[in-house]
Amino acid sequence: MVKEIMKDLLFLGQKAETATKEDIAIAKDLLDTLAAHKEHCVGMAANMIGERRAIIAIAEGNELTAMLNPVIVKKSPRTYKTTEGCLSIPGEREVERHEWVEVKYRDINWNREKRKFTGFEAEIIQHELDHLEGKLV
């Protein structure tokens, strides 16, 4: 189900709680909401739809991927500066990102996954993980 985008900065500033298998429905709502905004959005965190759970969704080309309890286990030593915007917060902000990240997470079927992401997908994941930490980016 497509959900309304959360814009309350106090809510968005709270750290996410660990997702459980029962939160897969939230992950599906997050994927639906990302799909509805795909023309101008490439990633979302669950707090952006009003859910304080550690769940993100990203666009990988035409594919949408949900990650429950994502954690970066390795990251590139090299970083770069870029400017990012967000559906929940007006404007753009400068941030520093790693060139690649390796992430472990549960997929939409609650299977364990571990993948390396580079380039723009790595940037999207880092942005969404900031949301899960309550960082307003």
Side-chain angles (χ1 to χ4, degrees):
M1 176 188 311
V2 176
K3 300 285 187 168
E4 188 174 328
I5 302 300
M6 170 64 67
K7 301 204 185 251
D8 180 334
L9 298 182
L10 290 175
F11 183 85
L12 292 169
Q14 297 177 57
K15 190 172 178 173
E17 297 175 6
T18 302
T20 66
K21 196 172 184 178
E22 288 71 38
D23 294 321
I24 288 173
I26 295 171
K28 290 178 180 177
D29 289 345
L30 193 59
L31 289 169
D32 290 345
T33 306
L34 178 56
H37 293 276
K38 69 180 176 185
E39 67 279 353
H40 56 273
C41 183
V42 292
M44 298 184 82
N47 61 356
M48 294 175 66
I49 60 168
E51 300 286 352
R52 281 188 44 222
R53 291 288 182 260
I55 305 169
I56 67 171
I58 67 163
E60 298 181 80
N62 291 328
E63 295 268 327
L64 300 181
T65 302
M67 300 179 191
L68 293 89
N69 301 319
V71 175
I72 293 175
V73 293
K74 288 185 185 174
K75 55 191 169 190
S76 68
R78 294 190 63 178
T79 61
Y80 62 95
K81 291 189 187 272
T82 188
T83 304
E84 297 175 352
C86 182
L87 276 180
S88 292
I89 307 165
E92 293 185 342
R93 284 143 302 281
E94 186 176 277
V95 293
E96 189 169 349
R97 298 293 184 210
H98 294 274
E99 291 179 347
W100 59 263
V101 292
E102 190 173 295
V103 183
K104 68 176 186 176
Y105 62 95
R106 296 273 188 168
D107 69 12
I108 197 77
N109 298 310
W110 202 246
N111 297 315
R112 292 181 194 274
E113 298 285 342
K114 185 170 159 184
R115 292 179 53 202
K116 183 177 181 179
F117 296 88
T118 60
F120 192 51
E121 283 88 12
E123 184 178 327
I124 297 165
I125 289 169
Q126 291 170 82
H127 178 101
E128 302 314 331
L129 290 178
D130 280 350
H131 273 296
L132 297 185
E133 292 298 318
K135 294 180 186 173
L136 304 177
V137 181

mmCIF file of all heavy atoms in Angstrom, residues 9-18 47 51-54 129-135:
data_model
loop_
_atom_site.group_PDB
_atom_site.id
_atom_site.type_symbol
_atom_site.label_atom_id
_atom_site.label_comp_id
_atom_site.label_asym_id
_atom_site.label_seq_id
_atom_site.Cartn_x
_atom_site.Cartn_y
_atom_site.Cartn_z
ATOM 1 N N LEU A 9 10.111 16.428 11.366
ATOM 2 C CA LEU A 9 11.536 16.293 11.644
ATOM 3 C C LEU A 9 11.820 15.642 12.997
ATOM 4 O O LEU A 9 12.826 14.948 13.145
ATOM 5 C CB LEU A 9 12.227 17.658 11.549
ATOM 6 C CG LEU A 9 12.170 18.335 10.167
ATOM 7 C CD1 LEU A 9 12.930 19.649 10.179
ATOM 8 C CD2 LEU A 9 12.696 17.409 9.076
ATOM 9 N N LEU A 10 10.944 15.834 13.972
ATOM 10 C CA LEU A 10 11.138 15.180 15.274
ATOM 11 C C LEU A 10 11.020 13.665 15.127
ATOM 12 O O LEU A 10 11.803 12.913 15.700
ATOM 13 C CB LEU A 10 10.148 15.699 16.308
ATOM 14 C CG LEU A 10 10.380 17.135 16.779
ATOM 15 C CD1 LEU A 10 9.256 17.585 17.714
ATOM 16 C CD2 LEU A 10 11.731 17.271 17.464
ATOM 17 N N PHE A 11 10.032 13.214 14.362
ATOM 18 C CA PHE A 11 9.873 11.778 14.118
ATOM 19 C C PHE A 11 11.054 11.244 13.317
ATOM 20 O O PHE A 11 11.641 10.210 13.651
ATOM 21 C CB PHE A 11 8.559 11.496 13.388
ATOM 22 C CG PHE A 11 8.313 10.029 13.165
ATOM 23 C CD1 PHE A 11 7.722 9.261 14.161
ATOM 24 C CD2 PHE A 11 8.695 9.408 11.985
ATOM 25 C CE1 PHE A 11 7.518 7.884 13.970
ATOM 26 C CE2 PHE A 11 8.498 8.051 11.788
ATOM 27 C CZ PHE A 11 7.904 7.288 12.784
ATOM 28 N N LEU A 12 11.418 11.955 12.252
ATOM 29 C CA LEU A 12 12.511 11.503 11.381
ATOM 30 C C LEU A 12 13.851 11.481 12.111
ATOM 31 O O LEU A 12 14.752 10.744 11.726
ATOM 32 C CB LEU A 12 12.606 12.404 10.147
ATOM 33 C CG LEU A 12 11.434 12.312 9.172
ATOM 34 C CD1 LEU A 12 11.507 13.425 8.152
ATOM 35 C CD2 LEU A 12 11.375 10.952 8.509
ATOM 36 N N GLY A 13 13.987 12.258 13.167
ATOM 37 C CA GLY A 13 15.225 12.322 13.935
ATOM 38 C C GLY A 13 15.386 11.198 14.943
ATOM 39 O O GLY A 13 16.406 11.129 15.630
ATOM 40 N N GLN A 14 14.424 10.290 15.022
ATOM 41 C CA GLN A 14 14.501 9.168 15.964
ATOM 42 C C GLN A 14 15.171 7.957 15.303
ATOM 43 O O GLN A 14 14.975 7.704 14.121
ATOM 44 C CB GLN A 14 13.098 8.763 16.418
ATOM 45 C CG GLN A 14 12.372 9.853 17.174
ATOM 46 C CD GLN A 14 10.971 9.413 17.530
ATOM 47 O OE1 GLN A 14 10.790 8.393 18.178
ATOM 48 N NE2 GLN A 14 9.981 10.176 17.084
ATOM 49 N N LYS A 15 15.925 7.237 16.097
ATOM 50 C CA LYS A 15 16.594 6.032 15.602
ATOM 51 C C LYS A 15 15.571 4.907 15.398
ATOM 52 O O LYS A 15 14.640 4.750 16.183
ATOM 53 C CB LYS A 15 17.663 5.600 16.605
ATOM 54 C CG LYS A 15 18.564 4.523 16.081
ATOM 55 C CD LYS A 15 19.714 4.259 17.020
ATOM 56 C CE LYS A 15 20.550 3.124 16.449
ATOM 57 N NZ LYS A 15 21.767 2.899 17.175
ATOM 58 N N ALA A 16 15.768 4.136 14.343
ATOM 59 C CA ALA A 16 14.872 3.020 14.026
ATOM 60 C C ALA A 16 15.088 1.856 14.988
ATOM 61 O O ALA A 16 16.180 1.665 15.524
ATOM 62 C CB ALA A 16 15.100 2.556 12.597
ATOM 63 N N GLU A 17 14.043 1.073 15.172
ATOM 64 C CA GLU A 17 14.103 -0.139 15.977
ATOM 65 C C GLU A 17 14.313 -1.336 15.053
ATOM 66 O O GLU A 17 13.946 -1.300 13.873
ATOM 67 C CB GLU A 17 12.805 -0.308 16.760
ATOM 68 C CG GLU A 17 12.556 0.820 17.756
ATOM 69 C CD GLU A 17 11.203 0.722 18.442
ATOM 70 O OE1 GLU A 17 10.492 -0.277 18.241
ATOM 71 O OE2 GLU A 17 10.870 1.665 19.171
ATOM 72 N N THR A 18 14.879 -2.393 15.585
ATOM 73 C CA THR A 18 15.137 -3.610 14.818
ATOM 74 C C THR A 18 13.835 -4.147 14.223
ATOM 75 O O THR A 18 12.816 -4.218 14.909
ATOM 76 C CB THR A 18 15.776 -4.675 15.723
ATOM 77 O OG1 THR A 18 16.985 -4.137 16.266
ATOM 78 C CG2 THR A 18 16.087 -5.955 14.957
ATOM 79 N N ASN A 47 11.083 5.054 8.190
ATOM 80 C CA ASN A 47 10.602 6.224 8.929
ATOM 81 C C ASN A 47 9.994 7.275 8.001
ATOM 82 O O ASN A 47 9.199 8.099 8.431
ATOM 83 C CB ASN A 47 11.678 6.813 9.850
ATOM 84 C CG ASN A 47 12.910 7.309 9.140
ATOM 85 O OD1 ASN A 47 13.053 7.180 7.926
ATOM 86 N ND2 ASN A 47 13.828 7.852 9.911
ATOM 87 N N GLU A 51 7.060 4.672 9.953
ATOM 88 C CA GLU A 51 7.357 3.430 10.684
ATOM 89 C C GLU A 51 8.796 3.471 11.198
ATOM 90 O O GLU A 51 9.725 3.624 10.411
ATOM 91 C CB GLU A 51 7.184 2.208 9.772
ATOM 92 C CG GLU A 51 5.790 2.043 9.220
ATOM 93 C CD GLU A 51 4.787 1.540 10.252
ATOM 94 O OE1 GLU A 51 5.195 1.161 11.369
ATOM 95 O OE2 GLU A 51 3.587 1.513 9.925
ATOM 96 N N ARG A 52 8.978 3.338 12.505
ATOM 97 C CA ARG A 52 10.324 3.366 13.093
ATOM 98 C C ARG A 52 10.933 1.971 13.109
ATOM 99 O O ARG A 52 11.214 1.406 14.153
ATOM 100 C CB ARG A 52 10.269 3.943 14.505
ATOM 101 C CG ARG A 52 10.178 5.446 14.521
ATOM 102 C CD ARG A 52 10.304 6.048 15.904
ATOM 103 N NE ARG A 52 11.375 5.425 16.669
ATOM 104 C CZ ARG A 52 11.273 5.093 17.946
ATOM 105 N NH1 ARG A 52 10.167 5.297 18.614
ATOM 106 N NH2 ARG A 52 12.291 4.555 18.576
ATOM 107 N N ARG A 53 11.123 1.403 11.968
ATOM 108 C CA ARG A 53 11.725 0.082 11.829
ATOM 109 C C ARG A 53 12.952 0.180 10.922
ATOM 110 O O ARG A 53 12.987 1.000 10.003
ATOM 111 C CB ARG A 53 10.745 -0.927 11.230
ATOM 112 C CG ARG A 53 9.600 -1.281 12.152
ATOM 113 C CD ARG A 53 10.102 -2.153 13.294
ATOM 114 N NE ARG A 53 9.047 -2.572 14.178
ATOM 115 C CZ ARG A 53 8.782 -1.999 15.356
ATOM 116 N NH1 ARG A 53 9.482 -0.972 15.772
ATOM 117 N NH2 ARG A 53 7.805 -2.452 16.112
ATOM 118 N N ALA A 54 13.932 -0.678 11.150
ATOM 119 C CA ALA A 54 15.168 -0.682 10.367
ATOM 120 C C ALA A 54 14.930 -1.395 9.034
ATOM 121 O O ALA A 54 15.277 -2.553 8.848
ATOM 122 C CB ALA A 54 16.285 -1.351 11.153
ATOM 123 N N LEU A 129 20.554 4.553 5.301
ATOM 124 C CA LEU A 129 21.041 4.125 6.609
ATOM 125 C C LEU A 129 21.178 5.315 7.563
ATOM 126 O O LEU A 129 20.972 5.173 8.767
ATOM 127 C CB LEU A 129 22.345 3.349 6.484
ATOM 128 C CG LEU A 129 22.218 1.961 5.840
ATOM 129 C CD1 LEU A 129 23.579 1.289 5.727
ATOM 130 C CD2 LEU A 129 21.266 1.077 6.600
ATOM 131 N N ASP A 130 21.524 6.484 7.029
ATOM 132 C CA ASP A 130 21.522 7.696 7.853
ATOM 133 C C ASP A 130 20.131 7.931 8.428
ATOM 134 O O ASP A 130 19.972 8.269 9.602
ATOM 135 C CB ASP A 130 21.962 8.920 7.048
ATOM 136 C CG ASP A 130 23.467 9.019 6.884
ATOM 137 O OD1 ASP A 130 24.209 8.260 7.545
ATOM 138 O OD2 ASP A 130 23.915 9.879 6.084
ATOM 139 N N HIS A 131 19.100 7.748 7.601
ATOM 140 C CA HIS A 131 17.711 7.900 8.089
ATOM 141 C C HIS A 131 17.450 6.957 9.257
ATOM 142 O O HIS A 131 16.812 7.348 10.240
ATOM 143 C CB HIS A 131 16.710 7.587 6.971
ATOM 144 C CG HIS A 131 16.375 8.746 6.103
ATOM 145 N ND1 HIS A 131 15.737 9.876 6.565
ATOM 146 C CD2 HIS A 131 16.576 8.950 4.780
ATOM 147 C CE1 HIS A 131 15.560 10.728 5.568
ATOM 148 N NE2 HIS A 131 16.063 10.184 4.470
ATOM 149 N N LEU A 132 17.908 5.705 9.154
ATOM 150 C CA LEU A 132 17.648 4.739 10.216
ATOM 151 C C LEU A 132 18.334 5.141 11.522
ATOM 152 O O LEU A 132 17.881 4.764 12.602
ATOM 153 C CB LEU A 132 18.118 3.338 9.803
ATOM 154 C CG LEU A 132 17.422 2.714 8.596
ATOM 155 C CD1 LEU A 132 17.902 1.285 8.379
ATOM 156 C CD2 LEU A 132 15.911 2.765 8.715
ATOM 157 N N GLU A 133 19.404 5.932 11.418
ATOM 158 C CA GLU A 133 20.096 6.425 12.611
ATOM 159 C C GLU A 133 19.502 7.736 13.127
ATOM 160 O O GLU A 133 19.987 8.289 14.108
ATOM 161 C CB GLU A 133 21.592 6.612 12.295
ATOM 162 C CG GLU A 133 22.317 5.325 12.065
ATOM 163 C CD GLU A 133 22.315 4.412 13.282
ATOM 164 O OE1 GLU A 133 22.509 4.924 14.409
ATOM 165 O OE2 GLU A 133 22.106 3.202 13.120
ATOM 166 N N GLY A 134 18.480 8.240 12.433
ATOM 167 C CA GLY A 134 17.864 9.493 12.842
ATOM 168 C C GLY A 134 18.618 10.718 12.338
ATOM 169 O O GLY A 134 18.354 11.837 12.785
ATOM 170 N N LYS A 135 19.548 10.527 11.407
ATOM 171 C CA LYS A 135 20.279 11.662 10.833
ATOM 172 C C LYS A 135 19.444 12.271 9.726
ATOM 173 O O LYS A 135 18.986 11.565 8.829
ATOM 174 C CB LYS A 135 21.631 11.202 10.261
ATOM 175 C CG LYS A 135 22.594 10.711 11.308
ATOM 176 C CD LYS A 135 23.890 10.271 10.651
ATOM 177 C CE LYS A 135 24.824 9.635 11.660
ATOM 178 N NZ LYS A 135 26.009 9.057 11.017
#
